[in-house]
Amino acid sequence: MTLNDFLEYVKTRKALDAEEIHRFMDEMSNEARRVTFKLNTSYYAPDEVRALLSELFGKPVPPSLRVFPPFYTDFGKNIEIGDNVFINACCHFQDHGGVTLGDGCQIGHNVVFATLDHGLAPEDRHTTYPAPIVLGRNVWVGSNSTILQGVTIGDNAVVAAGAVVTKDVPADAIVGGVPAKIMKYIC
């Protein structure tokens, strides 16, 4: 299986249950750990951090990207970053299903992006299902929040610290709580 084959397959949101897929995911996880271990165990200047992230993502990252390590991912090759994005320390990107951060996003400490879910039935719990997470422009995600698979967050929205976002968030909304609910609108 190639990276392009995998990325096309996860767009279907079908089960990741084939032996070939599992082998590929294991190989990619090993590669991601190699780069993240390096990134997270020493000090690097901002340009060096971006170079390591470019290696991890398999493509150049924007020169305006700022990331405060440590940074964690178990895949790395399905992350899209816009311009002027800031990612604070200790964030976790489970990006098999795809994570997109639009221009100007700000991500707080310890945020988790989880693009995989397990089947609910006991006999299906070993099967994972991918779905992308998409943040629009200028989204602010507060510390210790979790964004679950398949969620889209609209432009200028704010996710309050500690929220668990299980459903789409409209543009200009402020959401908070577990599960996250709309608290008010900015405009």
Side-chain angles (χ1 to χ4, degrees):
M1 171 165 273
T2 68
L3 177 59
N4 286 337
D5 292 339
F6 181 82
L7 294 176
E8 286 302 312
Y9 182 82
V10 296
K11 288 178 185 176
T12 69
R13 299 187 182 199
K14 292 180 183 174
L16 302 176
D17 59 357
E19 183 63 32
E20 179 183 25
I21 291 172
H22 289 165
R23 274 195 312 274
F24 179 78
M25 289 171 66
D26 285 345
E27 290 168 14
M28 297 306 292
S29 181
N30 287 335
E31 182 179 328
R33 282 196 312 272
R34 180 185 58 76
V35 178
T36 57
F37 285 5
K38 182 176 181 181
L39 173 66
N40 296 334
T41 57
S42 187
Y43 170 78
Y44 294 98
D47 285 341
E48 294 170 312
V49 169
R50 283 187 289 275
L52 286 165
L53 290 171
S54 293
E55 179 182 350
L56 180 62
F57 296 176
K59 58 188 167 251
V61 300
S64 58
L65 173 63
R66 293 183 334 154
V67 174
F68 289 176
F71 176 90
Y72 302 99
T73 183
D74 54 359
F75 188 65
K77 301 294 191 256
N78 206 0
I79 299 172
E80 297 289 333
I81 305 285
D83 291 326
N84 300 308
V85 169
F86 172 69
I87 302 170
N88 217 325
C90 299
C91 290
H92 295 254
F93 284 64
Q94 181 196 57
D95 63 292
H96 294 84
V99 175
T100 300
L101 304 181
D103 294 345
C105 285
Q106 295 190 48
I107 311 302
H109 290 90
N110 298 314
V111 171
V112 174
F113 294 93
T115 67
L116 297 179
D117 200 1
H118 294 268
L120 188 57
E123 64 275 5
D124 196 30
R125 286 197 188 138
H126 294 288
T127 303
T128 53
Y129 297 88
I133 295 170
V134 178
L135 276 60
R137 292 180 6 265
N138 301 314
V139 173
W140 176 19
V141 181
S143 295
N144 296 304
S145 296
T146 299
I147 315 298
L148 297 182
Q149 60 131 220
V151 167
T152 296
I153 300 177
D155 293 349
N156 305 312
V158 176
V159 176
V164 177
V165 184
T166 62
K167 295 180 181 172
D168 290 353
V169 175
D172 301 311
I174 299 173
V175 299
V178 179
K181 294 186 181 353
I182 296 173
M183 299 163 58
K184 65 180 182 178
Y185 284 88
I186 295 168
C187 299

